[in-house]
Every structure is written in C-alpha cells, then in structure tokens.
Amino acid sequence: MPSLIPPLWIAVYLPQLALEVFHPHWWSSCVSEDQGDHQRDQRDQQNQQNQQISHHLVVCEQQRIYALSDELRVDGLLPGMRQNSIALLCEQAKIKQRDPELERTLRQQVAVSLLQYSPQVCFCEDHADIIQIEVAA
C-alpha cells in the first residue's frame, strides 16, 4: 500500500562553494582534543593565519570577481568587478582562480554524505544538491 505522506524535498544550498573549495569555513575550528600543548599552539597560529587568508579571499573567473568573502565587500569589492580593481581596493586580498573541477568534487562529496539519509540525491543547480526523503512503508 502506498504511503499517504508525500515525499519531502530538501535542498542543500552551497552559495560559498567557490570560496570553501580553497578554505572551508569550518576548517579553522577543527582542533583535535588529543594534541599536546605545543602542537595545539602551532595549530592555533596556523589557524589564525588561515583565517586571515580566508577573510580576504577572492575567487576570479575570466579576469572578473566570481566570489569573495564578506570582509572584502566592506572594502568595496563586488562580484563581476575586474580583477585589476582588487589590488586598488584591498591590497591584502588573496586571489585564487576558480576551479570548477574542485567544486564538482566537493559537491560529489556532499552528495555522498547525504546518501546516508536517502538514496534519492541529485544535483540541481551550480550551488545546490537535492535530497528526497520518503516515509518507509
């Protein structure tokens, strides 16, 4: 007998995917509990440096800004601006070229992790994955 409850669709929206490919926002908060004090201090210093880089990260495609961190928007940078304007408005910005293959790989990893919830996972758009969840009979 078919279920009377309609399926539930959940979209996983990844608007910062182009940035997170180069520096995941969650990476700096991952510190292992079993590290020693010296290793933890070194890791904290490296995380602080990585956070500074991530706060000033710009991803460009075809000489135009494709994605940028929120901190750079305050400096006046916007998506679509020419790459030359980055150095004029924010000299500490770290420029990366967009890597669609790396983005695709990351989206596939997200999709594989979603398979634990439902076998119905598909790619929808450039920044979203869709998962269908149904009630088991």
Side-chain angles (χ1 to χ4, degrees), residues 74-93:
V74 173
D75 291 337
L77 292 173
L78 296 171
M81 292 177 79
R82 292 190 178 271
Q83 189 171 340
N84 320 18
S85 59
I86 297 170
L88 295 173
L89 295 173
C90 184
E91 57 190 40
Q92 70 262 25

Side-chain angles (χ1 to χ4, degrees), residues 31-88:
V31 177
S32 178
E33 293 296 325
D34 60 343
Q35 290 180 335
D37 289 337
H38 180 66
Q39 289 176 333
R40 187 173 295 130
D41 290 341
Q42 286 179 338
R43 181 79 176 247
D44 288 342
Q45 287 176 346
Q46 185 178 11
N47 284 340
Q48 287 175 352
Q49 290 172 352
N50 288 341
Q51 283 179 346
Q52 289 173 352
I53 290 170
S54 72
H55 291 313
H56 296 88
L57 183 61
V58 181
V59 178
C60 293
E61 181 178 48
Q62 297 178 355
Q63 300 297 313
R64 297 221 176 244
I65 297 175
Y66 180 80
L68 65 154
S69 60
D70 291 335
E71 289 78 7
L72 291 177
R73 289 179 192 268
V74 173
D75 291 337
L77 292 173
L78 296 171
M81 292 177 79
R82 292 190 178 271
Q83 189 171 340
N84 320 18
S85 59
I86 297 170
L88 295 173

Side-chain angles (χ1 to χ4, degrees), residues 93-106:
K94 183 79 171 176
I95 302 171
K96 300 281 188 176
Q97 293 302 314
R98 184 174 180 222
D99 190 346
E101 187 61 37
L102 206 51
E103 291 176 32
R104 193 173 304 112
T105 301
L106 185 59

